[in-house]
Each structure stands twice: as structure tokens, then as C-alpha cells.
């Protein structure tokens, strides 16, 4: 985890602590198995238009229709009022229970 992510977590933890006005703020990092929809097969025909110059790479246009369990690193911020899950491996997305 980078220094930027740690500083973000510390700042969020402090904000949660001040907002709740309670010393019972916890931050923990764990691995959770979450349903994940992967990308479908790429379009095998490269796009050769002026607006989309992605040749020779394929374009993923859809997601799969079935979910698969995948392990993700999850940072949990929790106090007496709220519990927030953050997934740092996919850009810091906020996830809920």
C-alpha cells in the first residue's frame, strides 16, 4: 500500500472519529471474497476509425453475466454509526455490506 493510500486512510479515520465524537473508531485491512463480474471476451476485430485509435489492441465491450468469487484486499473503517469498506486494488472504490 502506498504512502498516499495510508494518508487517505488516516484522514478518513480522523474524520470518522471527529464526526462520531467517540473513541471507538477502528481501521483494519483484510481479504474478502466478493462476487466479481469480469470482462467478456474481447471484440476480435480491431477498431480502425479516426476517433478510436486503439489498433492493435482489442476492445472489451461487455461484462460477463455470471459472477465469480474473487479475493480482494478490503480496508474497513468503522465507528458506532457507520461501517465503510474501501477496495484499494480497484482504485479506492467504496463498497457496502
Amino acid at each position: 500500500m502506498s504512502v498516499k493510500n495510508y494518508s487517505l486512510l488516516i484522514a478518513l479515520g480522523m474524520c470518522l472519529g471527529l464526526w462520531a465524537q467517540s473513541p471507538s473508531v477502528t481501521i483494519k485491512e483484510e481479504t474478502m471474497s466478493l462476487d466479481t463480474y469480469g470482462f467478456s471476451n474481447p471484440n476480435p476485430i480491431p477498431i480502425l476509425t479516426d476517433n478510436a485509435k486503439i489498433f492493435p489492441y482489442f476492445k472489451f465491450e461487455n461484462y460477463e453475466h455470471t459472477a465469480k468469487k474473487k479475493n480482494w484486499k478490503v480496508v474497513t473503517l468503522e465507528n458506532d454509526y457507520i461501517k465503510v469498506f474501501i477496495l484499494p486494488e480497484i482504485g479506492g472504490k467504496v463498497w457496502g455490506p
Side-chain angles (χ1 to χ4, degrees):
M1 200 174 213
S2 69
V3 175
K4 183 178 177 182
N5 289 341
Y6 279 120
S7 61
L8 174 66
L9 291 177
I10 291 171
L12 285 172
M14 290 173 60
C15 290
L16 287 174
L18 292 174
W19 178 66
Q21 296 178 358
S22 169
S24 62
V25 176
T26 60
I27 300 173
K28 63 182 176 180
E29 182 178 326
E30 58 189 335
T31 301
M32 292 177 69
S33 182
L34 301 172
D35 287 336
T36 304
Y37 292 89
F39 292 111
S40 65
N41 293 329
N43 185 354
I45 303 169
I47 298 173
L48 299 172
T49 63
D50 291 332
N51 295 338
K53 296 179 181 180
I54 62 170
F55 182 78
Y57 303 107
F58 297 119
K59 183 177 181 183
F60 292 91
E61 297 178 319
N62 296 315
Y63 292 98
E64 293 178 348
H65 296 287
T66 56
K68 296 176 185 169
K69 291 286 187 185
K70 184 173 179 181
N71 290 332
W72 294 101
K73 184 187 306 181
V74 177
V75 177
T76 305
L77 305 171
E78 183 177 9
N79 66 12
D80 295 336
Y81 303 101
I82 191 168
K83 184 175 188 177
V84 178
F85 297 129
I86 299 174
L87 290 101
E89 294 177 325
I90 56 174
K93 302 292 183 194
V94 176
W95 194 261

